[in-house]
Amino acid sequence: MAVPSASPQVPDLREPPGWRRTKNQLMTILMWAAFVITLVPLVLVLYTVIQKGSAAISWQFLTSHTIPPNVMPLSFPGGMGPAVLGTLEITGFAALIAIPLGILGAVYINEYGGKSVLANFTSFMADVMTGVPSIVMGLFIYTIWVLHFGYSGLAGSFALACLMLPIIIKSTQEMLKLVPDSLRQGSYALGATKSRVTLTVVLPAAVSGIVSGALLAVARAAGETAPILFTIFTVEATNTNLFSGANTTLSAQIFVNATSSYTGAEQRAWGAALTLIAIAFLLMIIARTVTARFTRYTR
Amino acid sequence: MSTVAQAGPAKSAGPAHPLAQRRPLGDRGFAILAIASGLLVLVILVLIVVSTAQQSTGWFSQEGLSGIFSVDWDPAANHYGAMAFLYGTAITSVIAIVVAVPFSVAIALLLTEVVPGRAARPIVYVIDLLAVVPSVVWGLWGFVVLVPWLQNHIYPHVGNVLNGVPVLGNLFGPPVSGQSFFTAGVVLAIMIVPIITSLSREVIATVPAIDKEGAYALGATRWEMIRGAVWPHSQGGIVGAVMVGLGRAMGETIAAAILIGSSPQITSHLLATGYSFPSVIANQFGEAVGVQRAALIGLGLLLFVLTIIVNLIARGVVLRSTRRMRGA
Amino acid sequence: MEQPENEVIPQLHVRETAQDAVPERPARASVFDVEKVSVYYGDFRAVTDVSLRIHEHEITAFIGPSGCGKTTVLRTLNRMNDLIPGARMEGDIRYRGAGLYDAAVSPTAVRRRIGMVFQKANPFPKSIYDNVAYGPRINGIRGKGQLDEIVERSLRQAALWDEVKDRLGKSGLGLSGGQAQRLCIARTLAVEPDVVLMDEPCSALDPIATGRIEDLMQEIKSKYTIVIVTHNMQQATRVSDRTAFFSVLRNEKPGASDTRTGILVEYDRTASIFESPRDERTQAYVTGRIG
């Protein structure tokens, strides 16, 4: 392999043919193939939802009342009005609870807790809590609230809030870590108290990331079904009162209609699915835009 | 202790130091609020255990420890054993992991080593899209589209071909059902690919550039560099990422509920219908009363404990490996 | 190797032919012919118009203050700059007559012949044996007997064999700084390259470890060609046959992205650079007045 000195021969620097190069190329192809194959179900799902869902969607669909999945419709195929309302209300209220608590929790871990064992432990357990199954959250709220106060949209909000809380804590924590310490020091040096530093300097610096993390958590919560089933007792009437009485959401409607074999149920399910995906995607796109737009300012 | 609001140069000869200031109420209040919110996480976790345990005592007392882990689940006979669901949850999760991991790791490597910075963004976007599709929509699509297709076009062929073959025949032979462990496992796999990919990426990103350069400087191709420099550094962390995915697969409720079928049975036959924790709870809770209800809640508690254990181990592994690399 | 006159770029002092005519030192074959090479990272011009010739079986040192492009030029010699997105080179580099940056050239083939030792030792998280065997293995050598022989030979050449021969299975990460760097040298020698490039290999080591590596450089010189970037002028005088002194271009326009562009000021036999430099900047640097 070593070239002898004073050799007049010019070295050949081309890639030696053979297995090393083919192996490298093969691996690269495999990696790309993995990505493409992963795309397939995504494309199929989106295609089917859009195709079948758009057949069901109309303004009437989005505003009329739902009908139970086990009823043969006479003239009216049923709509998703209450479910849309329910999804928006219940998820919205859950966000109202979870976002401030989540941000405050992250503030504790990152700003106040420092290196203490408790803060580290809390951070670790928040990580673990993101893995708690959504059905367990539903059962939890059922045992702790529904048994005493009955079904309501509020209970559903609590369950969703429990799901969202650790996610928002983690994403906010990541954003707070990115805020350079020099900003905090500058504020302290002007005589600000810790709460003031946090509220007026740290949080505003991280706001875009916090907002986008929160929106993604909301998008996920909007799609949840299991916690809803146990807390709101899916019904088919519109219930604008969040705090009492059973309620329904898009996700619950999809679930009950999906396995029903009655006419029109499947179509309703697709319509609801399209609506739900549209909401979730919309939230995701807003989240990404917020990140992209505001990071330019903070750079 | 008065706050420093005194005007003028009077450094008072009184007992208070002129710069002494009690921490304003607002500041302290905020601190307390923050601590309380953080601790809420721990409180909720504890409450989950307490309240579900409390509500399932009826089940525990009726069945006892051996009864709980028995195989039969028969409401008519008032007997509620959890083993079939444990099996179903475990099997579908394992299938999900086996299917998802090669894809996730491949995509993570693609994003970190093969595709440079900006060009990776569309790929990340696609993976994010995959993550945003709600579980129930996967369930709907799985039930309406995938299950019939598998049942009518794929599984029968597989079953016929493998009929009688020693090991594979047991796993994939006839009779086949569209709703089965395997179907649920595959759809779960699709759903956990995003989380495993994203965590693996984080782990691979901690491999020091200088190690990669060392391999390249020896004339290694990119694949050889990955095997020599990236893999030894990241394997621990990737294991952790896989376990997080496992935890997520175990907890996924709705898609599994719809796609696994509803027969509680323990069988090696992957193309048979089965049952899992989330599925039975979702399906039967509405009409359950008394001991059955207590049993369902107890199943929820079992699932909780199981996923917590898996997540604890997983997050610990990921933490240890990323910390080790950063410190190294 | 004529340098065109240019008011911005000062005259390059290259003195080769006079010395090479000395009868006791026959002209050695040229390993690298670097011609008017400029390297850009994006819009930033890191070095400009570097031309020199590296000779076989010599140790050539690149010296100069920080940030003047010594490492950049070193990395062009084994195409490691290819790994940096946005890096671009103008000019020509010939390796034993073959164009190093020709279209058909494979960087992996280049790096097999031209090895590199880095500033901070970077042993793989594998055993000492596997570290040294990595290169031969990826070149297809699998036989245990062969690998054993290569590992021992390389570790001996790197003056590490006696210290580790009884613990070849232990992790390479457990070695001291000096040992780890010698392991990296052994790893590089295991593929029997033609050239060994070294980027400040001793800057993180204590004087004793440094001395051992300098001794080893002298020992292997007869089989390899070595180019070393160093901050340590004494080291350059101790080990190198030729020295290239780099500095920064002082640009008239303040604030322009070119202000820290590196240039090659003077390139000559080491004795001449240090005892009788021709450029005043070289003189200022080697006498310690700047840098």
Side-chain angles (χ1 to χ4, degrees), chain C residues 41-57:
Chain C
Y41 295 124
D43 284 330
F44 169 59
R45 184 155 61 154
V47 287
T48 183
D49 246 17
V50 173
S51 302
L52 46 75
R53 171 179 287 173
I54 307 285
H55 297 260
E56 201 179 30
H57 300 322

PDB file of all heavy atoms in Angstrom, chain C residues 41-57:
ATOM      1  N   TYR C  41     -14.852  29.454   3.035  1.00  0.00           N
ATOM      2  CA  TYR C  41     -15.986  28.868   3.748  1.00  0.00           C
ATOM      3  C   TYR C  41     -17.162  29.788   3.465  1.00  0.00           C
ATOM      4  O   TYR C  41     -17.297  30.851   4.056  1.00  0.00           O
ATOM      5  CB  TYR C  41     -15.716  28.807   5.257  1.00  0.00           C
ATOM      6  CG  TYR C  41     -14.581  27.893   5.634  1.00  0.00           C
ATOM      7  CD1 TYR C  41     -13.505  28.354   6.379  1.00  0.00           C
ATOM      8  CD2 TYR C  41     -14.580  26.554   5.258  1.00  0.00           C
ATOM      9  CE1 TYR C  41     -12.472  27.516   6.742  1.00  0.00           C
ATOM     10  CE2 TYR C  41     -13.539  25.714   5.603  1.00  0.00           C
ATOM     11  CZ  TYR C  41     -12.486  26.204   6.341  1.00  0.00           C
ATOM     12  OH  TYR C  41     -11.449  25.374   6.683  1.00  0.00           O
ATOM     13  N   GLY C  42     -18.009  29.381   2.543  1.00  0.00           N
ATOM     14  CA  GLY C  42     -19.071  30.288   2.137  1.00  0.00           C
ATOM     15  C   GLY C  42     -18.465  31.497   1.462  1.00  0.00           C
ATOM     16  O   GLY C  42     -17.719  31.383   0.489  1.00  0.00           O
ATOM     17  N   ASP C  43     -18.724  32.677   1.992  1.00  0.00           N
ATOM     18  CA  ASP C  43     -18.156  33.886   1.413  1.00  0.00           C
ATOM     19  C   ASP C  43     -16.816  34.252   2.027  1.00  0.00           C
ATOM     20  O   ASP C  43     -16.107  35.104   1.507  1.00  0.00           O
ATOM     21  CB  ASP C  43     -19.101  35.079   1.656  1.00  0.00           C
ATOM     22  CG  ASP C  43     -20.292  35.012   0.718  1.00  0.00           C
ATOM     23  OD1 ASP C  43     -20.125  34.481  -0.388  1.00  0.00           O
ATOM     24  OD2 ASP C  43     -21.364  35.491   1.114  1.00  0.00           O
ATOM     25  N   PHE C  44     -16.517  33.642   3.133  1.00  0.00           N
ATOM     26  CA  PHE C  44     -15.310  34.023   3.861  1.00  0.00           C
ATOM     27  C   PHE C  44     -14.100  33.333   3.253  1.00  0.00           C
ATOM     28  O   PHE C  44     -14.059  32.115   3.111  1.00  0.00           O
ATOM     29  CB  PHE C  44     -15.475  33.624   5.335  1.00  0.00           C
ATOM     30  CG  PHE C  44     -14.209  33.728   6.133  1.00  0.00           C
ATOM     31  CD1 PHE C  44     -13.542  34.943   6.239  1.00  0.00           C
ATOM     32  CD2 PHE C  44     -13.671  32.621   6.770  1.00  0.00           C
ATOM     33  CE1 PHE C  44     -12.374  35.046   6.970  1.00  0.00           C
ATOM     34  CE2 PHE C  44     -12.507  32.710   7.507  1.00  0.00           C
ATOM     35  CZ  PHE C  44     -11.857  33.914   7.608  1.00  0.00           C
ATOM     36  N   ARG C  45     -13.094  34.137   2.903  1.00  0.00           N
ATOM     37  CA  ARG C  45     -11.889  33.555   2.323  1.00  0.00           C
ATOM     38  C   ARG C  45     -10.905  33.259   3.445  1.00  0.00           C
ATOM     39  O   ARG C  45     -10.362  34.166   4.067  1.00  0.00           O
ATOM     40  CB  ARG C  45     -11.284  34.522   1.297  1.00  0.00           C
ATOM     41  CG  ARG C  45     -10.081  33.944   0.587  1.00  0.00           C
ATOM     42  CD  ARG C  45      -9.870  34.580  -0.752  1.00  0.00           C
ATOM     43  NE  ARG C  45      -9.623  36.022  -0.633  1.00  0.00           N
ATOM     44  CZ  ARG C  45      -8.934  36.721  -1.519  1.00  0.00           C
ATOM     45  NH1 ARG C  45      -8.406  36.122  -2.563  1.00  0.00           N
ATOM     46  NH2 ARG C  45      -8.800  38.013  -1.369  1.00  0.00           N
ATOM     47  N   ALA C  46     -10.695  31.999   3.712  1.00  0.00           N
ATOM     48  CA  ALA C  46      -9.881  31.633   4.863  1.00  0.00           C
ATOM     49  C   ALA C  46      -8.391  31.723   4.572  1.00  0.00           C
ATOM     50  O   ALA C  46      -7.614  32.165   5.401  1.00  0.00           O
ATOM     51  CB  ALA C  46     -10.241  30.229   5.323  1.00  0.00           C
ATOM     52  N   VAL C  47      -7.987  31.241   3.410  1.00  0.00           N
ATOM     53  CA  VAL C  47      -6.580  31.406   3.009  1.00  0.00           C
ATOM     54  C   VAL C  47      -6.564  31.797   1.545  1.00  0.00           C
ATOM     55  O   VAL C  47      -7.481  31.463   0.799  1.00  0.00           O
ATOM     56  CB  VAL C  47      -5.725  30.131   3.159  1.00  0.00           C
ATOM     57  CG1 VAL C  47      -5.433  29.824   4.590  1.00  0.00           C
ATOM     58  CG2 VAL C  47      -6.357  28.971   2.470  1.00  0.00           C
ATOM     59  N   THR C  48      -5.505  32.492   1.162  1.00  0.00           N
ATOM     60  CA  THR C  48      -5.446  32.911  -0.218  1.00  0.00           C
ATOM     61  C   THR C  48      -4.075  32.649  -0.820  1.00  0.00           C
ATOM     62  O   THR C  48      -3.045  32.870  -0.182  1.00  0.00           O
ATOM     63  CB  THR C  48      -5.812  34.406  -0.334  1.00  0.00           C
ATOM     64  OG1 THR C  48      -5.807  34.759  -1.698  1.00  0.00           O
ATOM     65  CG2 THR C  48      -4.838  35.275   0.434  1.00  0.00           C
ATOM     66  N   ASP C  49      -4.107  32.143  -2.051  1.00  0.00           N
ATOM     67  CA  ASP C  49      -2.915  32.033  -2.882  1.00  0.00           C
ATOM     68  C   ASP C  49      -1.735  31.352  -2.193  1.00  0.00           C
ATOM     69  O   ASP C  49      -0.649  31.913  -2.086  1.00  0.00           O
ATOM     70  CB  ASP C  49      -2.488  33.449  -3.306  1.00  0.00           C
ATOM     71  CG  ASP C  49      -2.641  33.594  -4.798  1.00  0.00           C
ATOM     72  OD1 ASP C  49      -3.354  32.745  -5.399  1.00  0.00           O
ATOM     73  OD2 ASP C  49      -2.061  34.522  -5.357  1.00  0.00           O
ATOM     74  N   VAL C  50      -1.963  30.158  -1.739  1.00  0.00           N
ATOM     75  CA  VAL C  50      -0.870  29.426  -1.092  1.00  0.00           C
ATOM     76  C   VAL C  50      -0.217  28.527  -2.130  1.00  0.00           C
ATOM     77  O   VAL C  50      -0.888  27.796  -2.836  1.00  0.00           O
ATOM     78  CB  VAL C  50      -1.407  28.561   0.063  1.00  0.00           C
ATOM     79  CG1 VAL C  50      -0.317  27.673   0.622  1.00  0.00           C
ATOM     80  CG2 VAL C  50      -1.994  29.448   1.146  1.00  0.00           C
ATOM     81  N   SER C  51       1.074  28.584  -2.221  1.00  0.00           N
ATOM     82  CA  SER C  51       1.792  27.678  -3.124  1.00  0.00           C
ATOM     83  C   SER C  51       3.008  27.137  -2.401  1.00  0.00           C
ATOM     84  O   SER C  51       3.795  27.894  -1.838  1.00  0.00           O
ATOM     85  CB  SER C  51       2.250  28.421  -4.384  1.00  0.00           C
ATOM     86  OG  SER C  51       1.147  28.985  -5.046  1.00  0.00           O
ATOM     87  N   LEU C  52       3.137  25.846  -2.406  1.00  0.00           N
ATOM     88  CA  LEU C  52       4.360  25.258  -1.854  1.00  0.00           C
ATOM     89  C   LEU C  52       4.492  23.823  -2.339  1.00  0.00           C
ATOM     90  O   LEU C  52       3.592  23.287  -2.979  1.00  0.00           O
ATOM     91  CB  LEU C  52       4.375  25.335  -0.323  1.00  0.00           C
ATOM     92  CG  LEU C  52       3.133  24.951   0.484  1.00  0.00           C
ATOM     93  CD1 LEU C  52       2.903  23.462   0.553  1.00  0.00           C
ATOM     94  CD2 LEU C  52       3.274  25.490   1.906  1.00  0.00           C
ATOM     95  N   ARG C  53       5.613  23.235  -2.001  1.00  0.00           N
ATOM     96  CA  ARG C  53       5.850  21.856  -2.415  1.00  0.00           C
ATOM     97  C   ARG C  53       6.304  21.068  -1.204  1.00  0.00           C
ATOM     98  O   ARG C  53       7.223  21.475  -0.502  1.00  0.00           O
ATOM     99  CB  ARG C  53       6.909  21.827  -3.515  1.00  0.00           C
ATOM    100  CG  ARG C  53       7.371  20.421  -3.862  1.00  0.00           C
ATOM    101  CD  ARG C  53       8.389  20.460  -4.962  1.00  0.00           C
ATOM    102  NE  ARG C  53       7.746  20.767  -6.239  1.00  0.00           N
ATOM    103  CZ  ARG C  53       8.426  20.998  -7.366  1.00  0.00           C
ATOM    104  NH1 ARG C  53       9.741  20.995  -7.355  1.00  0.00           N
ATOM    105  NH2 ARG C  53       7.786  21.257  -8.482  1.00  0.00           N
ATOM    106  N   ILE C  54       5.637  19.959  -0.971  1.00  0.00           N
ATOM    107  CA  ILE C  54       6.017  19.095   0.151  1.00  0.00           C
ATOM    108  C   ILE C  54       6.885  17.974  -0.399  1.00  0.00           C
ATOM    109  O   ILE C  54       6.525  17.329  -1.384  1.00  0.00           O
ATOM    110  CB  ILE C  54       4.775  18.484   0.828  1.00  0.00           C
ATOM    111  CG1 ILE C  54       3.762  19.552   1.224  1.00  0.00           C
ATOM    112  CG2 ILE C  54       5.175  17.626   2.013  1.00  0.00           C
ATOM    113  CD1 ILE C  54       4.152  20.349   2.430  1.00  0.00           C
ATOM    114  N   HIS C  55       8.003  17.721   0.275  1.00  0.00           N
ATOM    115  CA  HIS C  55       8.944  16.719  -0.231  1.00  0.00           C
ATOM    116  C   HIS C  55       8.830  15.422   0.534  1.00  0.00           C
ATOM    117  O   HIS C  55       8.535  15.402   1.728  1.00  0.00           O
ATOM    118  CB  HIS C  55      10.371  17.249  -0.122  1.00  0.00           C
ATOM    119  CG  HIS C  55      10.599  18.455  -0.970  1.00  0.00           C
ATOM    120  ND1 HIS C  55      11.208  18.395  -2.197  1.00  0.00           N
ATOM    121  CD2 HIS C  55      10.265  19.749  -0.772  1.00  0.00           C
ATOM    122  CE1 HIS C  55      11.262  19.609  -2.722  1.00  0.00           C
ATOM    123  NE2 HIS C  55      10.693  20.448  -1.883  1.00  0.00           N
ATOM    124  N   GLU C  56       9.156  14.368  -0.172  1.00  0.00           N
ATOM    125  CA  GLU C  56       9.047  13.037   0.382  1.00  0.00           C
ATOM    126  C   GLU C  56      10.005  12.818   1.549  1.00  0.00           C
ATOM    127  O   GLU C  56      11.107  13.336   1.561  1.00  0.00           O
ATOM    128  CB  GLU C  56       9.403  12.058  -0.729  1.00  0.00           C
ATOM    129  CG  GLU C  56       8.878  10.673  -0.515  1.00  0.00           C
ATOM    130  CD  GLU C  56       9.267   9.820  -1.697  1.00  0.00           C
ATOM    131  OE1 GLU C  56      10.310  10.108  -2.288  1.00  0.00           O
ATOM    132  OE2 GLU C  56       8.517   8.894  -2.008  1.00  0.00           O
ATOM    133  N   HIS C  57       9.542  12.009   2.514  1.00  0.00           N
ATOM    134  CA  HIS C  57      10.386  11.630   3.646  1.00  0.00           C
ATOM    135  C   HIS C  57      10.973  12.816   4.383  1.00  0.00           C
ATOM    136  O   HIS C  57      12.053  12.735   4.956  1.00  0.00           O
ATOM    137  CB  HIS C  57      11.514  10.686   3.207  1.00  0.00           C
ATOM    138  CG  HIS C  57      10.986   9.421   2.612  1.00  0.00           C
ATOM    139  ND1 HIS C  57       9.875   8.775   3.079  1.00  0.00           N
ATOM    140  CD2 HIS C  57      11.408   8.693   1.556  1.00  0.00           C
ATOM    141  CE1 HIS C  57       9.626   7.711   2.360  1.00  0.00           C
ATOM    142  NE2 HIS C  57      10.543   7.636   1.411  1.00  0.00           N
TER     143      HIS C  57
END
